[in-house]
Amino acid sequence: MKVGFIGLGNMGGPMAANLAKAGHEVTGFDLAAPMPEGVSKADTAAAAATGADVVITMLPNGQILRAVADEILPVMSAGAVHADCSTVDVDSARAVAKQAEEAGLLAIDAPVSGGVGGAAGGTLTFMAGGSDAAFAKVSPLLDVMGQKAVHCGASGAGQAAKICNNMILGVTMIATCEAFALADKLGLDRQKMFDVVSTSSGYSWSMNAYCPAPGVGPQSPADNDYQPGFAAELMLKDLRLSQQAAASADADTPMGQLAETLYSTFVDTENGKGMDFSAMLPRFEKRGRG
Ligand code: NAD
């Protein structure tokens, strides 16, 4: 397929490279990031989108998505699909999909889970919202970039699934980090703590696949001085989206709310900006109860 790919950062770069490696003709555009191997460079977002069967966006937030959509939707070919894989608010996802459909295009929101490792390895999980026709058309591309794609419902359903998933992730990462810091103070060896919890009822993706303790468990950002990975400010963004959605749906989410507060303090006043979200462990290590 002819694919336009806009937003080639930590996630978009390796995703686009995998599409090119699988034989798709990929044209990319990014304001700053270099072109991944096999991807031709366009000078504007509109140029990357022109003539493409599918245009994929992988951008930081809903505001940027809306601005890029204004550039690309008018130049896309009739019947082409705009697939937004960014994590954005449900309202932006629905607004951009409506704009695409009014322009005679198909649209899907398809945010991802799996992080930079999943993007590089082609093992992401996609959660998609949009029509059956749009999902069918992008599925062969999602199959290259990921191991699983769940069609969750109409436009916005992918983003709804994503923020619920990431609210769980934020909460479990904090719980895992505070438990390691407590274990330290109780004199428990971190490796033993991992060996027990990763095979007991406290196990989670945060512990088993992305362990926040350096030198313990599989390779993770903790083994690289907490360089992202998944930046704390992106986790904060997702937690804010979850609380925005919870407020509009009148849902009681006290753990999600507390996780948002902790990540907000970490990013804004505790040097968490630019660190991986698992750097909550050194944060807790330094603290006492008071
Ligand atoms: P990133 O900051 O590394 O990449 C975003 C890219 O978008 C940058 O290269 C930036 O230059 C580019 N960009 C910004 N504005 C642009 C514009 N107007 N036109 C073209 N390019 C533009 O971020 P990332 O980690 O790749 O995340 C991208 C999205 O994926 C975010 O919505 C994030 O929440 C989501 N996500 C990230 C992860 C992760 O582990 N990093 C996991 C799941 C989902």
Side-chain angles (χ1 to χ4, degrees):
M1 270 195 249
K2 222 166 164 269
V3 180
F5 208 119
I6 298 159
L8 299 159
N10 290 325
M11 295 294 289
M15 290 164 70
N18 282 337
L19 290 175
K21 204 160 55 180
H24 296 288
E25 194 185 319
V26 187
T27 304
F29 174 71
D30 192 290
L31 290 179
M35 284 304 115
E37 208 181 319
V39 176
S40 319
K41 185 178 186 312
D43 289 333
T44 60
T50 302
D53 302 305
V54 175
V55 178
I56 298 175
T57 45
M58 193 53 168
L59 297 162
N61 59 48
Q63 200 186 345
I64 293 174
L65 168 66
R66 286 177 193 245
V68 169
D70 285 341
E71 287 180 56
I72 61 173
L73 298 180
V75 302
M76 284 173 62
S77 315
V81 190
H82 172 221
D84 178 48
C85 294
S86 330
T87 304
V88 302
D89 57 288
V90 176
D91 288 346
S92 292
R94 289 190 177 140
V96 166
K98 185 161 177 275
Q99 193 180 343
E101 278 154 15
E102 283 169 1
L105 306 168
L106 296 171
I108 197 129
D109 51 291
V112 305
S113 175
V116 288
T123 58
L124 295 167
T125 295
F126 288 90
M127 33 223 114
S131 67
D132 289 342
F135 184 69
K137 195 154 176 190
V138 297
S139 282
L141 301 181
L142 304 187
D143 289 346
V144 170
M145 298 183 287
Q147 60 180 353
K148 191 174 174 71
V150 181
H151 189 188
C152 299
S155 290
Q159 297 296 348
K162 170 71 189 176
I163 56 168
C164 288
N165 178 75
N166 275 28
M167 188 172 79
I168 296 172
L169 176 62
V171 168
T172 56
M173 180 54 82
I174 290 169
T176 303
C177 292
E178 70 180 27
F180 262 118
L182 170 61
D184 288 346
K185 292 196 178 182
L186 296 175
L188 256 181
D189 178 72
R190 284 184 170 179
Q191 183 63 50
K192 302 292 180 204
M193 165 83 174
F194 176 83
D195 291 346
V196 170
V197 175
S198 65
T199 53
S200 298
S201 45
Y203 85 88
S204 67
W205 188 86
S206 298
M207 174 61 88
N208 291 37
Y210 205 95
C211 183
V216 177
Q219 275 289 117
S220 71
D223 300 309
N224 187 28
D225 287 330
Y226 295 99
Q227 294 309 300
F230 184 42
E233 55 266 37
L234 285 179
M235 173 46 83
L236 175 58
K237 171 190 129 178
D238 292 356
L239 287 165
R240 284 190 173 138
L241 291 176
S242 77
Q243 295 316 293
Q244 189 183 323
S248 70
D250 189 27
D252 187 22
T253 54
M255 301 296 283
Q257 202 171 2
L258 184 54
E260 183 200 341
T261 304
L262 285 167
Y263 272 105
S264 165
T265 309
F266 183 52
V267 167
D268 294 338
T269 66
E270 295 173 344
N271 299 320
K273 198 166 163 56
M275 304 288 279
D276 187 73
F277 84 119
S278 61
M280 272 283 166
L281 175 52
R283 175 200 182 267
F284 278 112
E285 256 169 30
K286 289 190 215 108
R287 299 171 62 88
R289 223 170 152 69

